[in-house]
């Protein structure tokens, strides 16, 4: 996880309004998240679409990993040989 740079990653919303194009260009270029403040307090998080998509994919992967670990812990698993045998049977049946 990236470290927050207090000099560039935190911007007042008024600065964003005044320099929207430049800030959006910087987002695309450096892929860092920007925290917008309003009245000195955090108000919103701004990041590039690419960075957002990367984080969504990472989250989906982590959720899948956790689900797999839970299935393993609860014994809801199929041995590899059984899985492939079932797959071969389905393919032979045309399903």
């Amino acid at each position: 996880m990236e470290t927050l740079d207090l000099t560039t990653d935190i911007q007042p919303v008024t600065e964003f309004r005044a320099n929207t194009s430049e800030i959006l260009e910087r987002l695309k270029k450096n892929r860092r998240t920007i925290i917008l403040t309003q009245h000195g307090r955090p108000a919103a998080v701004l990041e590039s679409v690419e960075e957002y998509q990367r984080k969504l994919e990472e989250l989906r992967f982590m959720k899948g990993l956790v689900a797999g670990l839970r299935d393993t812990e609860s014994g809801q698993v199929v041995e590899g040989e059984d899985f492939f045998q079932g797959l071969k049977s389905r393919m032979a049946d045309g399903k």
Side-chain angles (χ1 to χ4, degrees), residues 6 8 11 32 37 41 47 52 56 58 71 88 93:
L6 299 176
T8 59
Q11 298 284 321
R32 295 183 63 85
T37 62
R41 304 190 79 182
E47 60 190 359
Y52 178 74
L56 280 180
E58 189 175 282
D71 286 347
K88 287 178 185 175
D93 294 340

Side-chain angles (χ1 to χ4, degrees), residues 48-62:
S48 69
V49 172
E50 294 81 11
E51 188 62 14
Y52 178 74
Q53 287 177 322
R54 185 194 67 76
K55 287 178 181 179
L56 280 180
E57 289 170 12
E58 189 175 282
L59 181 61
R60 282 188 201 112
F61 174 79
M62 295 301 288

